[in-house]
């Protein structure tokens, strides 16, 4: 019988989740490896073993946040209807942000000022919007969308959902309306500007 791994994927996930919470709530100074290990009920040795230290932990927070986003985006079933698919992808983006809000500050907010993603981490971040890029490219190809540079449409669509989600996460979205319905209307109205 094989020996169980002392530092398994479940521990890695718990450490990343707690590190994201600490970073989100207290900024980079609140992300102490000793406190992180204590909060999760493990040792700093485990943190070093899994991440190699604080810079490695911060990099993995960034990668993990985008991996979770990527997983949600890739699980969206494509219908072939560009409007439906873009709307569904927009909801997947929002759902990922709401479920993983503690990763958002490292993904988009420069929560750790001296952190710069390396090429591999940046590629992971870009992979998360690949389903959106594919949907838009297909919509342009089939004539559902105007004949535009796909990169421009991707950027505009991403900026729309990111802006809406950022306002919601920061508590700046209007409270008088139910969030999902407001978000759905904004997605569909944003899409309308690209329809042929």
């Amino acid at each position: 019988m094989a020996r169980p791994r002392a530092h398994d994927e479940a521990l890695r996930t718990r450490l990343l989740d707690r590190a994201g919470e600490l970073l989100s709530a207290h900024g980079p100074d609140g992300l102490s490896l000793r406190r992180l290990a204590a909060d999760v009920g493990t040792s700093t040795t485990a943190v070093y073993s899994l991440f190699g230290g604080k810079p490695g932990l911060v990099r993995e927070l960034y990668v993990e946040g985008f991996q979770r986003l990527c997983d949600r985006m890739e699980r969206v079933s494509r219908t072939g209807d560009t409007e439906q698919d873009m709307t569904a992808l927009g909801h997947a983006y929002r759902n990922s942000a709401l479920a993983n809000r503690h990763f958002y500050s490292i993904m988009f907010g420069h929560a750790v000022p001296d952190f710069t993603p390396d090429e591999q981490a940046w590629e992971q971040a870009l992979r998360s919007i690949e389903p959106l890029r594919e949907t838009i490219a297909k919509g342009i190809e089939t004539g559902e969308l105007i004949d535009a540079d796909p990169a421009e449409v991707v950027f505009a669509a991403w900026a729309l959902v990111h802006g809406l989600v950022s306002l919601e996460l920061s508590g700046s979205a209007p409270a008088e309306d139910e969030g999902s319905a407001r978000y759905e209307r904004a997605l569909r109205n944003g899409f309308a500007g690209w329809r042929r």
Side-chain angles (χ1 to χ4, degrees), residues 9-10 12-18 20 51 56-72 96 100 102-104 106-107 115 121 124-125 128:
E9 188 63 26
R12 178 185 174 277
T13 300
R14 287 197 325 272
L15 285 165
L16 288 172
D17 279 328
R18 184 59 184 147
F51 306 110
L57 172 64
V58 170
R59 180 194 182 277
E60 286 306 301
L61 280 170
Y62 179 86
V63 169
E64 180 73 12
F66 278 107
Q67 183 60 54
R68 291 181 186 193
L69 173 58
C70 188
D71 290 346
R72 292 246 185 176
S96 180
N100 300 290
H102 52 291
F103 287 96
Y104 217 68
I106 188 69
M107 292 166 68
F115 169 71
Q124 176 62 47
S128 68

Side-chain angles (χ1 to χ4, degrees), residues 95-128:
N95 292 338
S96 180
L98 293 176
N100 300 290
R101 61 181 67 224
H102 52 291
F103 287 96
Y104 217 68
S105 65
I106 188 69
M107 292 166 68
F108 299 110
H110 303 290
V112 179
D114 59 347
F115 169 71
T116 302
D118 57 44
E119 186 176 338
Q120 186 180 14
W122 179 241
E123 286 173 6
Q124 176 62 47
L126 292 178
R127 196 164 33 252
S128 68

Side-chain angles (χ1 to χ4, degrees), residues 8 25 45 49 53 60 64 73 90 96 103-105 108 110 116 127 135 140 150 154 166 181 187 189 194:
D8 61 8
T45 303
S49 174
E60 286 306 301
E64 180 73 12
M73 298 287 276
S96 180
F103 287 96
Y104 217 68
S105 65
F108 299 110
H110 303 290
T116 302
R127 196 164 33 252
T135 298
I140 291 170
V154 170
S166 295
L187 291 180
N189 287 328
W194 299 104

Side-chain angles (χ1 to χ4, degrees), residues 1 10 19 33 77 81 86 88 102-104 106 134 153-154 168:
M1 187 164 125
L33 298 189
S77 298
D81 178 309
M86 285 179 69
H102 52 291
F103 287 96
Y104 217 68
I106 188 69
E134 290 170 357
V153 183
V154 170
E168 185 172 2

Side-chain angles (χ1 to χ4, degrees), residues 38 41-42 52 54 77 79 99-100 120 128 138 152 177 186-187:
T42 191
K54 193 169 181 178
S77 298
T79 66
N100 300 290
Q120 186 180 14
S128 68
K138 186 167 177 70
E152 181 183 349
D177 192 9
L187 291 180

